[in-house]
Every structure is written in C-alpha cells, then in structure tokens.
C-alpha cells in the first residue's frame, strides 16, 4: 500500500500573502461596519420618529376632542341666538329690514345675522346685517345645502358633518384660508316652520381660535420640539393629502373638515424637496412609513413620512438632523481603523519574527547538512588513510602466508582485500563527490555492523548540482540509509540487507532506499514524517528527526516521498524534479 506526501513550496513569500489578506480584511471590515452601523443608527432614529408621530397623533386627537366640545357649545349658543332673533322679528320676511338685523346682532351676541329663503334649487340671502353678504355669489357646499333643505322640510339634518339640533343645524367650524386671517368661522341655521325665511347666524369665534392657539396642532408641535432634549428633530409638518396632492374632489363625499383649504395642518414645512409629493402619495396609498436621507443646506437630514389616521387621512413628516449620527459614526470608524491598524502591526511583527525564526532554523538545517557532508568526506579520507597505512601490513601478511604455504588462508585473506577494492572502485565511478563520500562512509559502517550494503548509482553524469543542492541530497540519502541501518539492526534476520539505487527517470531524479527490517504498520505511515515521531528507542540520538528533515528539504524543491512496506521489504522512494 502506497502513501504519497506532496511537498510543494509556496510560489510567493508568506509575508506578501499576509499583508494582502490583512489589507482586504481591513477594507471589508471597515466597509461592513460603516454600512451596518449607519443602518442601525438610522433605524433607531426612525423608531424615535415613530414615537414622536404617535405623540403628535395622540395630542391632535385630544386637541380635536376639546375643539369639538368648544364648537358644540358655540353651536348651542348660535341656536339660542337664532331663537332670540325669531322671537324679536315677525314671521314675514317683507316686514324686516337690514337695520333691524344690524341692531339685533349685538344684543344676541353674534357677528352677523342673515335671513335666507328658497329660490328654486338654491338658497339665497335676502336680508342681512352685513349688506355685502347679499351681493356675494359663493356656491353652497353640498352638505350645507342638503342640511338647509332638510330643515325647510321639517326634517332633522342627517349629513355627515356639522351639528344637528332641533330645528337647527350648525355648520362645521371653518379655519382660515391662510394664517393672516384670524379667527374661526361658524354658521348656524334655524327654521321651525313658523316663518317664511331661514335664520342664519354667524360668529367669528375667538374662543375657538384661542383654544387652538393654546392646544392645537401648532402648540402640540411646538411643545414637542421645545421639549426634546437631544434636539435632533428639526421640523414636523402634517400634510393634508387630498389638498397637497390636488385630489380634494375624491374626498368630498367624506364631508368637510375645518382645514380643508390648507395643504398642511400647521405652518412648518421648511424642509421642502422635489420628492416630497411622490413620497406623501406613496405613504398615503400604502399606509407604510417611508424614510430617506437628503442634504439640506449642506446638512444631512433624515426625512420620515408616517401615515396616520385621525378623523381624516394625514401624513406626518418628521425631519431629523443626522449630523450627530454622522459624527458618531465617523468617530467610531476612526477608532476601529486605528485598532485594526495597531493589531495589524502586532500581527506583522509576529509574522516577521516567525519568519526570522524559520530562517534561523533553516540555516541550522543547512549547517547540519554541511556538517554531515564534511563528516562523510572526513570518513572517506580517513578510510583511504587507513587503507594506505595498512597497505604494508597487508603485503607483509601475504608474504608471510606464502612463505608458510598456507594457501587456503591466503585465498580467504586476498578475497576480502579484493572485495574492498571492488567496492572502492565502484564508488569512485560516481561523479558526485559528496555522494561518493557518503556511500564510502556508509559502506564502512555497514561492514562494521555486518550489514549487506548494496548500491547502484547510475546515469548521474549529466546532472549538475550546486554545492547547496549536493549537501541537501547527501542529507536526504544519509537519513534514509541511517533509518534503514537502524531498521535491520532491530530485526532477527540472519542476513541484514540495505539496498540503495539512484537514477534519472524522465525529468526526475529518483533515489530508493530499501531494507528487510520490520514492516511499518499502515496506521503509522503518515505519522513517521512528523517531527519528533519515531518508532525507535527513546534514548537514540536525534530520534524522530530524520524523516522530518527529509520532508523539509523535499518541500523546498517541490519533491515527493513514497513509502511501501510489507513483511519482506520496506522501501522509501524520493523523487526530485530536475
């Protein structure tokens, strides 16, 4: 069973990757934080606007309840004034003069008295305390005309607006068409069937006007704006959609409301923009809140359109200042950027420190390889010196064996010398000096440990290695041979075999180191490449580092290592691209 471990180096320095990733992360984090935080702050602002809108709506309802009560009292007063007029005048219209009406209005406490009568399909003024009323050509509002006709028929008016009392109908309070016209106008019409005319009484009610100034919409909004502590709300406008959107005719059937001539319920519509009409239409039609940010005189504002249900359709516009939100967001963004930048510097420092530590470890490995190279060269030279030193002893021994005619001993002795000579000649034929020295040294070690050491290094003459790569190759082969020697020494086989081959296959340099030692279990075939892991005795020198060193060197040169192991043979194969 084969286990393959691919060892490919990264094409660019790790630092470049880390800096690029950190820059991208910094941009993404800042952008995401800015967008999400801005959205959250605006959402909080929108919720505040909802609270203010509910407060305005509740206050308006309370104000309208008070206004209705005051208006009903005014209507009852107008009815009593109309009854007083009827008691003072005769039943015939022809016997009454305008001067009588002018003198009577002060006594009954009204501003005008007008007497009306039916003329075909219309109701026309005939006598009045104010002669200008007689020349006016204003058209009757449909609800008013219907109510007066019902009075003439002796019926109690049942129109949707106004105040119906016995023989009396009080028209709705009409607000001023513009803010420069003071007061609130209210008409009352009385007819009990005993006269040939209808009594119309009119008052410009200062009480209602004063009440509205103190408790009306403007007062409510003024109180909210003055009472807000954070001062983010810049303005509040309450729109009358039928008038603002030029759709008043569509709402006529719903009755007349006191502000029906005005676009807004109040006079605070300062923050205008071209999109207001579309936003009011959409909010009114969908009954959903609409929020958007705009620039108003170089100030960022949030405009929130909130549809509300009063006694009529309305849309509340609340304008809030986003300057504080923007400043808070910018301050937090600066703090976050500085924090991330500081963390980035710390991380870069740690990375550079790790790289420096890695370089030192790499240099230590290179120095270790150089030491192995020098040790093997020294072993080769020592072996040659030993052979030269023993040469004379060998010659004397041979001469003595010849004289003693011990030819069997002479044959055995010379056979051993010839074997060593053949091995030496084969080593010399390897054109890599470092590898030749290694093989010579390992041959000597194998001979001393009674290991049958076989090697076949062929077809390497065309390969050119620099000094560093030669030392790395020596380190790879040396560690694999040492592991093989250790493996066979731990077995009880009578013949201990270690075999090394080296050759070029295609565009790869291949080395194999095999032995007939104990097999490697499948579950350990991945762990043996980890630093510190070993199947050897714990007191063995450099235990667990050999294959880890080989792995690092192969990783640097985009190489791979394979391992095969069974009961008879274990073999490590190394492949290096040329």
């Amino acid at each position: 069973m084969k286990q393959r471990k691919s060892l490919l180096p990264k094409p660019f320095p790790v630092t470049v990757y880390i800096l690029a990733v950190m820059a991208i992360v910094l941009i993404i984090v800042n952008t995401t934080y800015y967008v999400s935080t801005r959205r959250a702050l605006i959402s909080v602002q929108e919720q505040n606007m909802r609270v203010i809108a509910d407060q305005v709506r509740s206050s308006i309802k309370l104000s309208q309840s008070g206004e209705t009560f005051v208006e009903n009292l005014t209507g009852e007063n107008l009815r009593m004034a109309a009854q007083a007029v009827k008691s003072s005048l005769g039943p015939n219209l022809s016997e009454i003069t305008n001067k009588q009406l002018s003198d009577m209005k002060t006594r009954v406490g009204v501003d005008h008295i007008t007497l009306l009568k039916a003329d075909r399909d219309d109701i026309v003024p005939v006598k009045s305390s104010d002669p200008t009323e007689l020349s006016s050509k204003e058209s009757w509002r449909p609800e008013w005309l219907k109510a007066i006709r019902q009075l003439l028929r002796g019926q109690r008016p049942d129109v949707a607006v106004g105040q119906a009392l016995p023989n009396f109908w009080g028209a709705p309070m009409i607000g001023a068409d513009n803010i420069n016209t003071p007061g609130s106008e209210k008409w009352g019409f009385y007819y009990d069937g005993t006269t040939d005319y209808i009594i119309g009484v009119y008052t410009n009610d200062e009480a209602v006007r004063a009440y509205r100034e103190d408790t009306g919409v403007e007062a409510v909004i003024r109180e909210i704006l003055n009472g807000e502590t954070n001062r983010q709300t810049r303005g509040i406008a309450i729109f009358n959609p039928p008038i603002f959107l030029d759709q008043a005719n569509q709402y006529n059937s719903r009755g007349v409301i006191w502000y029906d001539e005005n676009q807004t319920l109040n006079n605070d519509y300062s923050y205008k923009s071209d999109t207001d009409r579309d936003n009011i239409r959409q909010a009114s039609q969908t009954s959903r809140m609409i929020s958007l940010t705009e620039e108003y005189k170089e100030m960022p504002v949030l405009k929130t359109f909130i549809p509300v249900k009063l006694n009529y359709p309305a849309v509340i516009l609340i304008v809030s200042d986003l300057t504080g939100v923007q400043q808070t967001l910018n301050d937090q963004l600066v703090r976050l950027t500085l924090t991330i930048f500081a963390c980035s510097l710390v991380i870069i420092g740690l990375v550079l420190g790790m790289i420096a530590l890695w370089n030192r470890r790499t240099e230590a490995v290179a120095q270790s390889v150089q030491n192995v190279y020098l040790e093997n060269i020294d072993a080769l030279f020592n072996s040659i010196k030993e052979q030269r030193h023993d040469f004379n002893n060998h010659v004397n021994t041979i001469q003595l064996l010849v004289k003693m005619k011990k030819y069997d001993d002479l044959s055995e002795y010379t056979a051993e010398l010839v074997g060593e000579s053949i091995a030496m000649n084969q080593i010399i034929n390897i054109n890599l000096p470092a590898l030749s020295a290694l093989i010579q040294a390992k041959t000597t070690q194998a001979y001393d440990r009674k290991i049958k050491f076989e090697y076949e290094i062929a077809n390497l003459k065309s390969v050119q290695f620099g000094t560093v790569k030669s030392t790395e190759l020596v380190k790879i082969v040396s560690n694999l041979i040492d592991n093989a020697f250790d493996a066979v020494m731990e077995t009880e086989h009578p013949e201990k075999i270690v075999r090394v081959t080296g050759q070029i296959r295609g565009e790869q340099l291949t080395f194999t180191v095999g032995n007939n030692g104990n097999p490697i279990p499948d579950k350990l075939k991945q762990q043996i490449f980890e630093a510190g892991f070993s199947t050897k005795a714990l007191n063995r020198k450099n235990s667990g580092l050999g294959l880890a060193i080989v792995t690092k060197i192969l990783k640097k040169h985009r190489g791979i290592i394979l391992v095969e192991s069974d009961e008879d043979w274990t073999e490590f194969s190394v492949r290096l691209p040329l």
Side-chain angles (χ1 to χ4, degrees), residues 238-242 259 265 283-284 306-310 312-316:
I238 306 175
F239 291 93
N240 176 12
Y259 70 101
L265 210 65
S284 180
I306 305 174
V308 294
K309 293 296 183 181
L310 301 170
Y312 37 77
V315 174
I316 299 178

Side-chain angles (χ1 to χ4, degrees), residues 49 162 245 536:
M49 299 305 100
L245 301 176
K536 305 172 185 177

Side-chain angles (χ1 to χ4, degrees), residues 50 81 98 108 175 188-189 224 234 239 321 329 343 345 347 403 500 551 569:
R50 282 186 180 274
N98 290 336
V108 299
F189 301 94
I224 291 175
R234 293 294 182 179
F239 291 93
D321 186 3
L329 188 62
C343 293
L345 292 179
I347 294 174
K403 287 181 179 181
V500 179
T551 299
W569 191 254

Side-chain angles (χ1 to χ4, degrees), residues 500-564:
V500 179
T501 64
Q503 59 183 327
I504 295 176
R505 293 180 179 176
E507 296 183 355
Q508 286 186 333
L509 174 61
T510 301
F511 273 91
T512 62
V513 178
N515 66 85
N516 64 341
N518 294 326
I520 300 175
D522 290 341
K523 63 181 180 180
L524 301 181
K525 287 182 180 178
Q526 288 294 336
Q527 292 179 273
I528 58 177
F529 296 100
E530 298 175 1
F533 181 84
S534 177
T535 58
K536 305 172 185 177
L538 294 178
N539 60 355
R540 193 181 299 275
K541 182 181 179 181
N542 294 330
S543 179
L545 297 178
L547 290 177
I549 294 173
V550 172
T551 299
K552 290 180 181 179
I553 298 174
L554 292 174
K555 182 178 181 181
K556 178 180 178 181
H557 295 285
R558 305 170 68 92
I560 61 174
I561 183 169
L562 304 174
V563 56
E564 293 181 348

Side-chain angles (χ1 to χ4, degrees), residues 278-292:
D278 292 335
N279 291 325
I280 291 173
R281 178 183 292 107
Q282 185 177 354
S284 180
Q285 291 176 351
T286 62
S287 298
R288 297 178 62 182
M289 182 182 73
I290 297 175
S291 292
L292 68 154

Side-chain angles (χ1 to χ4, degrees), residues 370-495:
Q370 185 70 19
N371 292 337
V372 172
Y373 172 77
L374 294 177
E375 290 174 0
N376 289 324
I377 290 295
D378 290 340
L380 176 60
F381 288 160
N382 290 333
S383 177
I384 293 173
K385 289 178 181 180
E386 290 174 0
Q387 292 183 21
R388 291 181 59 187
H389 176 75
D390 294 338
F391 179 74
N392 291 332
N393 293 331
H394 291 315
V395 172
N396 291 331
T397 301
I398 292 172
Q399 184 179 10
L400 181 59
L401 290 174
V402 170
K403 287 181 179 181
M404 295 175 63
K405 297 182 180 181
K406 294 185 177 182
Y407 300 113
D408 293 336
D409 294 335
L410 176 63
S411 177
E412 182 178 351
Y413 186 76
T414 55
E416 291 180 1
L417 290 177
V418 170
E420 291 183 7
S421 177
I422 293 174
M424 185 63 184
N425 290 336
Q426 289 176 343
I427 295 171
I428 293 174
N429 287 334
I430 302 174
N431 70 323
L432 298 178
L435 191 58
S436 297
L438 173 65
I439 296 299
Q440 175 60 42
K442 298 307 177 186
T443 300
T444 302
Q445 293 177 12
Y447 182 80
D448 294 339
R449 300 170 72 175
K450 301 185 183 305
I451 297 174
K452 184 178 181 182
F453 183 57
E454 301 174 352
Y455 52 88
E456 182 180 355
I457 311 297
N459 196 24
L460 299 185
K461 293 183 179 181
S462 60
V463 182
Q464 300 295 326
F465 291 100
T467 303
V468 176
K469 195 163 186 180
S470 296
T471 57
E472 291 174 339
L473 182 61
V474 167
K475 191 66 174 178
I476 292 172
V477 177
S478 174
N479 276 288
L480 293 179
I481 293 176
D482 287 342
N483 284 349
F485 282 177
D486 293 339
V488 296
M489 293 302 295
E490 293 176 358
T491 186
E492 297 180 357
H493 285 299
E495 184 178 26

